Each structure stands twice: as structure tokens, then as C-alpha cells.
Amino acid sequence: MKLGLEGRTAVVCASSDGLGKACAMSLAREGCAVLINGRDADRLQAAADEIRSATGATVKPVRADLNTEAGRSVLAAAGTGASILVNNNAGPEPGPFLGFEREDWEGAMEANFYAPMFMIKALLPGMRARRFGRIVNITSARVKSPTPTMALSTAPRTALTALTRSLALDVAVDNVTINNLLPERFGTHRQVEMADRMMKERGIGRDEAMAVIAETIAAKRLGKPEEFGDTCAFLCSVQAGYISGQNLQLDGGSYRGLI
């Protein structure tokens, strides 16, 4: 299927690794020029080289810290004219609610609410003026299935979900869509970190820890980053212009609710 993305420009936040990188790779394969973003210059350049080599696309690495106003300004300026914005950022560490202090909440809000919100604010007017825009926020399955240890991640992402749902109603008339992708248990560095945490807590090896994690998924496996990236690319396509304000779970069939 041709997704109609040839010649468009996509800004993909936090994309030197993991799901962000997978989204950038899929969009590049569809003919987008992509701006990838990260804080580690070496890793960012390696990701740019990999995507460029695999796809032949124009790839521009933009080193910037999304958790600062200055960093967001740099990325937004580099992405002037972009038709696609994929919001992504690292999530906070899990832990008990009573163990989080004010600075923990402020950091989580900066990374997982303010950063994507201000990126949307910067790029949305241009999308509306050009009458084509696709915004995809990578949030978390915990938005719809909260757990006690993930409150620090769930609360800011849920606030973003509410904000963008209201925006979707306003911008649909200009052919701008806003959707959220809710991942759970993909084979990225994040799951390695979660496995390392489990290894310390339970005194088990990494293979066993990864097997325990996979067992929590109905499909009994971790998701592949490329599966996530291709889903993102479809939501950015011409064909997906009638899909907006949605929360799409990529969780191997694990969600138990109806809605």
C-alpha cells in the first residue's frame, strides 16, 4: 500500500533508539524526510546513519533535550514545515506512590506532558495552514490499564491524552489528525531495564526475567519495534485521514476491557 507520504517531513522525538527510532525508520521507508532527535550525539548519529543506509531517505539528526524549553525550541525550529510529528520521550522509573516527591512529579510532567504539548503547539499552526498534519503521541498501555507502581508515568500521559482528544475535535476540519499509540512490552532497551530491575528483586537471570515479562502478554512474546513503527506510519498516511482522537493499543491482545 502506498501511504502517500513521499516528500513529506516528519519530526520524530526521542528517536535515536527504541520505538522512536522504529517510527523514524518506517516513515523514512515511506519516503519521508525525517528529523530524528536525542541527547547523545554519538548514538544519534549512528541512528541517522542506519536509517539513511536502510532507506535512502534524507535524515537530519537534531541533538536537543526535549525536557527543556531551549531544546524544544531547537527541534521545533529545525522541523519548521513538518507535516508529521511523533511525540516520544523516556518514561520515569516505576515505584510506590508514597515514594515520589514533588521533584519526581515535576520531572514526569516535563517529560511526558509539557514536552509533547509544546511540540504540538509549535508545529500545529503550520499543519493547519497547509491542510495536512499527522500527530502521533507514543504514550503507554498504562493510560488505559493503570497499575500502582506506574502512577508517575500514567498521570502525565493521561493528561496528554485528554488534551489531545480535545484538540482533535478542533483540527479535524483542517485534515490534521491526532492519535495516541499505547505500547506494552516491546523488545526495546526499556524492557531490558525492566528485566534488570526484576533480576535484582527476584534474584533471577536475564533470560528468566525476559520470559516472565513475555508471559504477561496474551501473545506470549514481546512486540517487535518494526511492528510498532509500521503502525505509526499508517496513522500518518493519507488513508488514515478519517482516524483521529483514538488510543490504539499495541499490546499483543492483552487489554481486558471493552473500550
Side-chain angles (χ1 to χ4, degrees):
M1 181 185 295
K2 295 289 187 180
L3 300 186
L5 298 180
E6 296 87 351
R8 299 195 184 278
T9 298
V11 174
V12 187
C13 301
S15 47
S16 63
D17 197 8
L19 298 181
K21 179 181 167 185
C23 292
M25 182 72 80
S26 292
L27 288 166
R29 283 202 183 100
E30 293 301 323
C32 287
V34 295
L35 277 71
I36 65 169
N37 159 250
R39 291 177 290 184
D40 185 303
D42 291 339
R43 187 165 66 179
L44 184 62
Q45 187 60 55
D49 292 343
E50 180 184 347
I51 296 169
R52 193 180 296 115
S53 175
T55 66
T58 299
V59 184
K60 181 178 180 180
V62 181
R63 187 183 180 194
D65 186 351
L66 290 170
N67 298 339
T68 66
E69 185 175 344
R72 292 189 291 265
S73 295
V74 167
L75 185 56
T80 299
S83 299
I84 295 166
L85 170 63
V86 180
N87 276 312
N88 183 41
N89 211 347
E93 289 295 314
F97 169 73
L98 294 179
F100 298 136
E101 303 298 336
R102 183 181 182 90
E103 56 267 28
D104 298 316
W105 288 104
E106 289 174 348
M109 287 295 291
E110 189 71 59
N112 300 130
F113 179 71
Y114 292 129
M117 184 266 286
F118 282 119
M119 287 302 299
I120 292 171
K121 185 176 181 181
L123 298 184
L124 180 60
M127 294 179 182
R128 298 191 75 173
R130 292 185 295 274
R131 297 190 61 79
F132 184 94
R134 300 289 185 263
I135 298 170
V136 177
N137 302 310
I138 301 176
T139 62
S140 169
R142 298 284 77 79
V143 168
K144 293 182 72 173
S145 303
T147 58
T149 60
M150 296 298 288
L152 198 60
S153 172
T154 302
R157 297 186 196 277
T158 304
L160 177 66
T161 302
L163 171 68
T164 55
R165 183 65 188 89
S166 64
L167 285 175
L169 294 170
D170 188 42
V171 301
V173 67
D174 294 317
N175 191 31
V176 177
T177 67
I178 307 178
N179 292 290
N180 305 306
L181 290 178
L182 284 59
E184 183 167 15
R185 309 300 195 191
F186 276 78
T188 65
H189 185 67
R190 174 71 167 177
Q191 288 311 310
V192 174
E193 291 177 346
M194 299 300 281
D196 288 346
R197 185 184 182 91
M198 186 182 296
M199 288 164 61
K200 294 177 182 178
E201 292 174 349
R202 302 189 185 186
I204 60 178
R206 176 168 290 168
D207 288 347
E208 185 178 354
M210 294 299 283
V212 170
I213 291 172
E215 191 65 25
T216 66
I217 300 297
K220 304 305 178 188
R221 68 172 178 89
L222 300 184
K224 300 175 183 177
E226 55 267 30
E227 293 175 311
F228 190 94
D230 288 349
T231 303
C232 177
F234 176 74
L235 283 180
C236 296
S237 71
V238 171
Q239 291 89 338
Y242 212 56
I243 303 171
S244 193
Q246 302 304 306
N247 295 289
L248 179 59
Q249 298 206 206
L250 288 86
D251 63 0
S254 300
Y255 179 60
R256 296 180 179 274
L258 290 175
I259 299 173

